């Protein structure tokens, strides 16, 4: 098992017990991380690398596989797009010094039309709007639309054609040699090759390897491409869709997976259906953007998923005559993500805000920006277990001390609603492996604490009552809502809500058995198509608790996993093209010729009665167009993508770019950092300089942050508990003995860390866990801090996330918060207005202006545009 981008033992200790069980049975565990952690201590091997260089490391693994013919050839030929030929128009980073064809420096986005397959028509697709709306994020349960995929795509089964994906992949990663990995990542050549050997030797017909990651990968300006690189490795080695393989996205909360499945995101509807945008005038336009008649896969049934959702929202009011109330849905017209929203608060564009389940005053990047934004609202509703910093910022934020927020003049009226905890309410969690697990209410909430269901059910009921009798068209979407959930006293029934999420056949009034039962004629209603089946047969499947000692190894009757209780996605790939397991040792599902169906240890992720030899008839589309060998049933061509011919904002192949703030130059290309990242260039969001900009020496060290087991995320729960506060009583900064000597830092004394945003203070922890790295001809020092402290609780401290600016990855608009540059000095930081002067002096010495870091394209001439915003925020530079 490879653990990378995660400190699993510390951040996901319950899941890590199974890693330890696997290790006890002989599995080898390798941890690759900038810091030696509790995970490293329990792994067989720890590899230290420079933060933000994971693609260079993983690219080196790909090069090792391809250079030594270590790929699982039969798997790659059958189940990936490796044989497909690319358009002659396509140009790679190797041709364009770090850019792909189609780049527009004025919008910092790609037109991806040249990335398509040979012979497939692709209209020009300027990418600016897709980047602003994080459109790639909308492909979460399947691949993006690509036309012409139902026919015979030009291919070379021998994988020798110079324009086939396999050869393009080899050329793209050829320069990611062990020597280059050492130069970029600081990982010695021999140690890197040892990881390559372990990974490849534990892959193939008889063996599989798993890869585990977490926010150590996602919170980067190239985060989606980190995971893409890992996917390429696992596909080349045949580790996807097979037992013991795969890529595990660990979740830091019990239901973070659920909050993306039934989303809290601006650009998604439940089940990863995209939110409509302003270019889509009607339901037909919308559906044409989700699925096309000339593509394969189950997104071809998007009309059934979407119309069933609209029927669940608006019930009898949703009819074919009014497009099933499609016009009631809001349309997005750009970036409405959390950081854009905070900036819009500062700029006076947003007047009210609901805050649930998060604490941006502490837990979000650029905490000062978050607090100043909230201080510019008319009203703020906070629902939480305790009075968190985001509820009390108006009287105890750091900006009160500096004079930037004056309590008596703060305009924001805060309404605090005490929330019930997870043991005080019933419902489901959806965890890392997509499993829905029901929990019953253990105790009654105390005082006036209420569940989310209670709050929103009664809020919706009161708003509907207030609008009753209105003839204003804008009120119809609220008045027509099907707000008819069963209640138990005044508490809405969580089981009834789950039943509606599952889906109901409106002709019979009974729950549907799964998403294949959903219809596009308005006869079914379903709150989330991928969850359809969780209440099949009018039974709460998520409440099942059959012991693992009473059932098979895939525990099919413990909870319920989407889709349709499949524990391993794309498990058709666990059998060869003829439907036989690649090996008996790794058998998962297979074709039973006698019974004429797929069977096995897991629920087959394939049409049960579609034989391996099936070939679609002329003119077929959607699921019918999938052949018996098309294992990747959600993809529009039925194949796993080593190369992404569409759908990604920052390129069809992963490429090593330096972080937005980096102390070193990109050794591979003239393009320094992700050429499509979002920089939000404005005075209240400064960036530290990075090559080729001057004065990077002012912030010479690499900073990274993560969490502790004893404290939970922003600390709103854990800092209220005496025993946890005792275990981790104070904020610390970890530094190596070498850096401590260089900067005069003493163990357990005070020091402060500085960026162009602010300075925070902490106790010094001198430790070998933070080893200096040799990168090219210089030593790179890395420092680490946990991010759990704030101004409220039994233990308090500076807000570490205040150090971080807002730079976003272009596919999903997540912030780059796992790597930046900084300085560190002994002693406590200045207080009050003196802190602002201190940080301003650093900015002055580094030559920082609103344009710093906003010249995104660094190849070509010196006249590339900057990407700054009109100034509406604070007056200070």
């Amino acid at each position: 098992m490879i653990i990378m981008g995660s400190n699993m033992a510390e951040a996901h200790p319950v899941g890590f017990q199974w890693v330890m069980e696997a290790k006890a049975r002989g599995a080898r565990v390798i941890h690759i991380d900038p810091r030696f952690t509790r995970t490293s201590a329990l792994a067989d091997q720890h590899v230290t690398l420079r933060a933000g260089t994971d693609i260079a490391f993983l690219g080196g693994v790909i090069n090792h596989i391809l250079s030594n013919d270590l790929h699982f050839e039969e798997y790659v030929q059958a189940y990936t797009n490796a044989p497909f030929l690319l358009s002659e128009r396509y140009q790679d980073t190797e041709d364009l010094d770090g850019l792909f064809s189609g780049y527009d420096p004025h919008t910092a986005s790609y037109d991806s039309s040249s990335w398509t397959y040979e012979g497939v028509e692709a209209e020009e697709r300027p990418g600016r709007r897709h980047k602003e709306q994080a459109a790639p994020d909308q492909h979460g349960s399947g691949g993006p639309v690509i036309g012409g995929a139902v026919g015979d795509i030009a291919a070379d089964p021998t994988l020798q054609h110079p324009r086939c994906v396999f050869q393009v992949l080899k050329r793209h990663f050829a320069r990611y040699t062990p020597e280059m990995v050492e130069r970029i990542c600081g990982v010695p050549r021999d140690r890197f090759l040892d990881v390559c050997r372990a990974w490849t030797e534990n892959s193939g017909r008889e063996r599989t390897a798993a890869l585990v990651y977490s926010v150590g990968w996602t919170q980067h300006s190239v985060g989606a491409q980190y995971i893409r690189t890992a996917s390429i490795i696992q596909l080349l080695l045949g580790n996807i869709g097979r037992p013991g393989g795969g890529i595990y996205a660990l979740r830091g909360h019990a239901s973070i997976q659920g909050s993306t499945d039934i989303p809290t995101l601006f650009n998604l509807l439940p089940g990863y259906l995209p939110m409509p945008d302003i270019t889509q005038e009607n339901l037909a336009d919308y559906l044409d953007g989700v699925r096309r008649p000339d593509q394969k896969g189950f997104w071809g049934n998007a009309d059934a998923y979407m119309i069933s959702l609209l029927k669940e929202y608006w019930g009898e009011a949703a009819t074919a005559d009014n497009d099933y109330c499609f016009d009631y849905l809001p349309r997005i017209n750009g970036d409405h993500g959390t950081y854009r929203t905070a900036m819009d608060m500062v700029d006076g564009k947003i007047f009210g805000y609901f805050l649930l389940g998060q604490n941006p005053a502490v837990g979000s990047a650029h905490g000062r920006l978050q607090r100043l934004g909230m201080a510019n609202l008319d009203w703020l509703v906070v629902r939480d277990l305790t009075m968190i910093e985001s509820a009390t910022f108006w009287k105890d934020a750091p900006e009160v001390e500096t004079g930037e927020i004056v309590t008596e003049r703060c305009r924001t009226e805060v309404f605090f609603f005490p929330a019930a905890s997870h043991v005080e309410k019933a419902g489901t969690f959806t965890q890392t492996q997509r499993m829905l697990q029901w929990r019953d209410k253990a105790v009654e909430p105390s005082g006036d604490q209420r569940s989310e269901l209670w709050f929103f059910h009664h809020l919706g009921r009161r708003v509907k009552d207030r609008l009753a009798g209105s003839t204003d068209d804008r009120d119809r979407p609220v008045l027509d809502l099907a707000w008819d959930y069963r209640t138990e006293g005044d508490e809405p029934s969580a089981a009834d809500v789950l039943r509606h999420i599952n889906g109901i056949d409106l002709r019979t009034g009974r729950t549907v058995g799964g998403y294949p039962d959903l219809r596009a004629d308005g006869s079914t209603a379903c709150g989330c198509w991928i969850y359809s089946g969780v209440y099949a047969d009018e039974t709460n499947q998520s409440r099942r608790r059959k012991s693992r000692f009473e059932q098979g190894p895939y525990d099919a009757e413990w909870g319920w996993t989407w889709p349709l209780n499949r524990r391993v996605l794309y498990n058709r790939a666990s059998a060869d093209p003829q439907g036989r397991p690649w090996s008996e040792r790794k058998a998962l599902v297979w074709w039973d010729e006698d019974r004429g169906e797929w069977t096995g240890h897991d629920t087959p992720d394939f049409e049960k009665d579609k034989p391996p030899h099936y070939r679609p008839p002329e003119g077929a589309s959607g699921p019918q167009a999938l052949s018996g060998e098309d294992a990747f049933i959600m993809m529009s061509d039925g194949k796993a993508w080593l190369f992404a011919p569409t759908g990604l904002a920052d390129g069809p192949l992963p490429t090593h770019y330096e972080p937005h703030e980096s102390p070193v130059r990109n050794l591979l290309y003239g393009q320094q950092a992700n050429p499509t990242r979002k920089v939000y260039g404005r005075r209240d969001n400064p960036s530290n300089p990075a090559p080729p900009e001057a004065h990077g020496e002012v912030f010479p060290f690499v900073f990274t942050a993560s969490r502790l087991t004893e404290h939970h995320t922003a600390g709103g729960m854990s800092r209220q508990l005496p025993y946890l506060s005792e275990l981790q009583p104070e904020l610390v900064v970890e530094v190596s003995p070498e850096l401590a000597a260089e900067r005069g830092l003493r163990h357990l004394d005070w020091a402060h860390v500085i960026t162009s945003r602010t300075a925070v203070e902490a106790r010094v922890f001198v430790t070998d866990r933070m080893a200096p790295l040799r990168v090219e001809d210089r030593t790179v020092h890395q420092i680490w801090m946990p991010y759990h402290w704030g101004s409220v609780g039994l233990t308090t401290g500076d807000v570490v996330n205040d150090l971080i600016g807002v730079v976003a990855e272009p596919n999903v608009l997540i912030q780059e918060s796992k790597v930046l540059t900084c300085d560190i000095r002994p002693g406590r930081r200045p207080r009050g207005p003196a802190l602002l002067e201190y940080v301003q002096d650093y900015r002055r010495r580094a030559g920082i202006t609103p344009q710093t870091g906003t010249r995104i394209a660094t190849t070509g001439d010196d006249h590339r545009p900057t990407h700054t915003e009109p100034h509406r925020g604070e007056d200070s530079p």
Side-chain angles (χ1 to χ4, degrees):
M1 174 175 283
I2 308 290
I3 301 175
M4 200 169 178
S6 171
N7 178 4
M8 190 179 181
E10 189 137 25
H12 308 92
V14 176
F16 193 70
Q17 67 177 315
W18 301 109
V19 177
M20 289 294 92
E21 185 166 318
K23 184 184 176 189
R25 295 180 179 183
R28 182 177 178 185
V29 180
I30 300 174
H31 187 219
I32 305 168
D33 196 87
R35 174 173 168 257
F36 188 93
T37 68
R38 290 172 175 171
T39 304
S40 315
L42 293 168
D44 293 289
Q45 182 179 1
H46 172 248
V47 177
T48 305
L49 83 169
R50 178 165 63 93
T53 64
D54 301 58
I55 287 178
F57 187 98
L58 295 169
V61 176
I62 294 172
N63 182 47
H64 177 83
I65 294 167
L66 297 177
S67 299
N68 295 283
D69 292 325
L70 297 172
H71 59 287
F72 189 169
E73 187 167 10
E74 301 97 322
Y75 180 104
V76 169
Q77 286 176 323
Y79 298 141
T80 78
N81 65 353
F84 293 171
L85 306 188
L86 299 180
S87 165
E88 292 182 346
R89 296 170 53 210
Y90 170 71
Q91 290 180 284
D92 195 77
T93 52
E94 304 306 293
D95 308 309
L96 300 174
D97 199 20
L99 298 174
F100 296 96
S101 50
Y103 185 71
D104 180 359
H106 296 280
T107 62
S109 65
Y110 281 108
D111 172 353
S112 63
S113 59
S114 63
W115 307 347
T116 193
Y117 299 136
E118 180 181 293
V120 174
E121 292 295 326
E123 299 176 357
E124 291 188 3
R125 292 188 292 264
R128 183 178 184 277
R129 180 170 63 86
H130 293 291
K131 187 173 88 168
E132 290 297 306
Q133 297 176 190
D137 192 30
Q138 299 169 337
H139 310 311
S141 66
V145 174
I146 179 171
V150 297
D152 290 329
I153 298 173
D156 175 14
T158 70
L159 307 183
Q160 297 305 308
H161 192 288
R163 280 190 288 109
C164 78
V165 165
F166 188 78
Q167 292 298 327
V168 170
L169 194 70
K170 289 183 74 170
R171 179 169 176 252
H172 179 83
F173 286 106
R175 66 167 73 189
Y176 292 71
T177 61
E179 293 74 21
M180 185 59 75
V181 170
E182 182 167 4
R183 292 175 62 192
I184 294 174
C185 306
V187 178
R189 181 180 185 276
D190 291 345
R191 192 170 302 172
F192 166 74
L193 289 174
D194 186 44
V195 174
C196 291
R197 283 189 292 268
W199 205 335
T200 55
E201 287 171 2
N202 283 276
S203 303
R205 279 184 176 269
E206 296 294 331
R207 304 186 69 83
T208 52
L211 181 63
V212 173
Y213 77 91
S214 189
V215 294
W217 266 7
T218 57
Q219 293 178 355
H220 289 268
S221 57
V222 286
Q225 295 285 6
Y226 274 21
I227 301 149
R228 278 274 298 134
T229 323
S231 301
I232 291 171
I233 294 173
Q234 293 294 73
L235 287 168
L236 288 173
L237 296 176
N239 285 327
I240 300 293
R242 302 182 63 207
I247 300 175
Y248 298 85
L250 299 179
R251 302 301 204 167
H253 291 273
S255 201
I256 289 295
Q257 180 68 51
S259 74
T260 50
D261 297 342
I262 301 182
T264 54
L265 304 170
F266 78 91
N267 59 348
L268 284 176
L269 292 169
Y272 302 93
L273 287 161
M275 180 68 76
D277 69 30
I278 57 173
T279 67
Q280 295 159 343
E281 296 185 2
N282 51 49
L283 180 59
D285 286 348
Y286 170 84
L287 291 173
D288 286 345
V290 180
R291 55 101 169 103
R292 288 175 48 162
D294 55 353
Q295 73 177 46
K296 302 180 181 183
F298 275 81
W299 270 119
N301 292 339
D303 53 352
Y305 313 149
M306 183 63 177
I307 290 170
S308 295
L309 177 65
L310 295 172
K311 288 294 292 184
E312 173 57 33
Y313 283 167
W314 286 290
E316 293 180 358
T319 67
D321 292 338
N322 64 14
D323 240 0
Y324 297 100
C325 294
F326 176 76
D327 282 342
Y328 285 179
L329 289 172
R331 306 291 201 274
I332 56 174
N333 61 356
D335 178 2
H336 304 287
T338 180
Y339 292 104
R340 175 79 274 161
T341 299
M343 293 172 192
D344 285 347
M345 291 179 193
V346 171
D347 296 343
K349 297 178 181 179
I350 292 177
F351 307 102
Y353 199 52
F354 283 84
L355 195 60
L356 304 96
Q358 63 173 332
N359 186 8
V362 172
S364 293
H366 207 335
R368 176 173 175 268
L369 184 77
Q370 304 285 339
R371 296 186 294 268
L372 291 177
M374 290 188 289
N376 203 33
L377 296 169
D378 289 342
W379 55 266
L380 173 67
V381 173
V382 179
R383 288 194 76 255
D384 214 291
L385 304 178
T386 61
M387 197 71 71
I388 57 175
E389 286 84 354
S390 294
T392 64
F393 69 89
W394 52 274
K395 65 184 179 70
D396 57 17
E399 291 71 37
V400 173
E401 186 179 273
T402 61
E404 296 167 280
I405 295 176
V406 179
T407 298
E408 295 77 12
R409 296 202 296 269
C410 182
R411 60 185 295 214
T412 311
E413 186 169 8
V414 179
F415 300 89
F416 182 82
F417 289 82
S421 75
H422 66 283
V423 299
E424 297 169 329
K425 57 194 176 187
T428 60
F429 288 127
T430 310
Q431 38 85 311
T432 291
Q433 68 180 95
R434 312 175 323 282
M435 181 185 289
L436 282 76
Q437 291 179 281
W438 184 267
R439 86 272 190 203
D440 293 305
K441 182 192 292 186
V443 295
E444 290 295 326
S446 60
D448 200 30
Q449 291 178 291
R450 306 298 179 99
S451 69
E452 287 79 9
L453 277 181
W454 182 94
F455 181 83
F456 284 107
H457 176 79
H458 290 292
L459 178 63
R461 181 180 58 78
R462 292 185 182 195
V463 171
K464 282 170 70 73
D465 289 347
R466 182 68 64 89
L467 295 177
S470 171
T471 58
D472 193 329
D473 285 345
R474 73 175 184 174
D475 296 333
R476 291 310 324 163
V478 175
L479 289 170
D480 287 344
L481 279 173
W483 212 251
D484 54 357
Y485 303 104
R486 184 165 54 84
T487 58
E488 298 165 351
D490 68 345
E491 179 74 16
S493 166
D496 189 53
V497 171
L498 185 63
R499 183 174 177 272
H500 282 263
I501 288 171
N502 172 92
I504 297 170
D505 187 327
L506 300 175
R507 298 164 297 185
T508 65
R510 289 184 59 81
T511 54
V512 299
Y515 65 83
D517 295 341
L518 300 178
R519 298 289 177 262
D521 60 4
S523 63
T524 55
C526 176
C528 181
W529 72 273
I530 61 174
Y531 281 15
S532 189
V534 70
Y535 224 96
D537 300 321
E538 295 290 348
T539 301
N540 186 347
Q541 309 284 332
S542 69
R543 203 169 185 268
R544 295 178 299 179
R545 291 291 184 272
K546 188 173 182 179
S547 167
R548 65 190 177 101
F549 299 110
E550 300 175 31
Q551 56 178 320
Y554 286 84
D555 299 330
E557 295 182 58
W558 179 278
W560 185 90
T561 302
W562 69 262
L564 291 178
N565 210 29
R566 294 160 181 160
R567 304 303 165 112
V568 178
L569 286 177
Y570 300 121
N571 57 32
R572 164 66 179 92
S574 69
D576 68 16
Q578 290 73 44
R580 303 165 304 198
W582 291 110
S583 76
E584 289 305 314
R585 183 174 181 272
K586 287 291 179 178
L588 183 57
V589 302
W590 55 88
W591 176 253
D592 187 321
E593 188 66 48
D594 295 334
R595 295 164 59 184
E597 64 180 29
W598 289 91
T599 188
H601 306 302
D602 192 12
T603 303
D605 194 9
F606 204 66
E607 293 169 273
K608 191 170 184 177
D609 58 355
K610 179 174 282 188
H613 56 76
Y614 170 85
R615 296 297 177 267
E618 188 77 23
S621 66
Q624 293 73 32
L626 291 166
S627 81
E629 297 179 6
D630 286 332
F632 289 82
I633 62 174
M634 296 305 297
M635 304 298 288
S636 52
D637 55 10
K639 305 300 181 185
W641 287 1
L642 298 169
F643 177 99
T646 186
L648 287 170
D650 51 357
L653 288 171
T655 301
H656 167 68
Y657 297 117
E658 286 293 322
H660 175 71
E661 295 182 0
S662 171
V664 301
R665 193 73 166 92
N666 190 345
L667 296 179
L668 287 174
Y669 308 107
Q671 179 56 42
Q672 171 73 0
N674 188 336
T676 61
R677 69 195 188 278
K678 287 209 67 178
V679 293
Y680 301 102
R682 42 191 285 153
R683 292 186 180 184
D684 54 6
N685 184 41
S687 294
N688 297 347
E693 295 171 318
H695 308 302
E697 71 281 356
V698 176
F699 300 103
F701 308 125
V702 174
F703 172 92
T704 190
S706 60
R707 60 173 288 190
L708 299 162
T709 302
E710 292 79 5
H711 286 294
H712 186 63
T713 60
M717 291 184 285
S718 56
R719 282 187 279 110
Q720 310 290 335
L721 301 177
Y723 47 91
L724 292 179
S725 297
E726 228 176 280
L727 288 170
Q728 291 286 356
E730 203 156 16
L731 177 63
V732 298
V733 54
E734 289 195 4
V735 299
S736 67
E738 294 85 352
L739 178 57
E742 181 177 322
R743 275 290 191 260
L745 309 174
R746 295 180 58 187
H747 188 61
L748 298 184
D749 276 359
W750 287 98
H752 57 276
V753 179
I754 318 101
T755 70
S756 57
R757 276 72 63 180
T758 195
V760 303
E761 63 186 20
R763 295 285 188 176
V764 176
F765 194 97
V766 180
T767 173
D768 290 332
R769 294 188 295 203
M770 297 302 298
L773 296 173
R774 195 68 184 170
V775 177
E776 279 292 86
D777 56 349
R778 62 178 292 183
T779 298
V780 173
H781 291 288
Q782 303 184 106
I783 71 171
W784 173 86
M785 298 183 80
Y787 66 92
H788 306 291
W789 274 264
S791 59
V792 175
L794 299 176
T795 172
T796 60
D798 279 353
V799 178
V800 168
N801 280 333
D802 287 5
L803 294 168
I804 303 167
V806 180
V807 176
E809 193 272 352
N811 293 290
V812 299
L813 299 186
I814 199 169
Q815 77 283 349
E816 181 159 71
S817 51
K818 291 301 180 184
V819 57
L820 51 137
T821 57
C822 69
D823 192 15
I824 185 170
R825 295 287 175 178
R828 308 191 74 163
R829 65 168 173 84
R831 315 292 303 191
L835 174 62
L836 301 179
E837 296 171 7
Y838 185 65
V839 175
Q840 179 58 31
D841 179 63
Y842 263 85
R843 293 185 193 174
R844 189 164 38 247
R845 287 193 284 121
I848 293 173
T849 71
Q851 287 74 39
T852 302
T854 66
R855 184 166 280 107
I856 297 176
T858 56
T859 61
D861 59 48
D862 294 329
H863 303 291
R864 298 289 194 178
T866 58
H867 293 267
T868 56
E869 299 188 352
H871 168 55
R872 297 186 185 91
E874 60 186 74
D875 292 329
S876 61

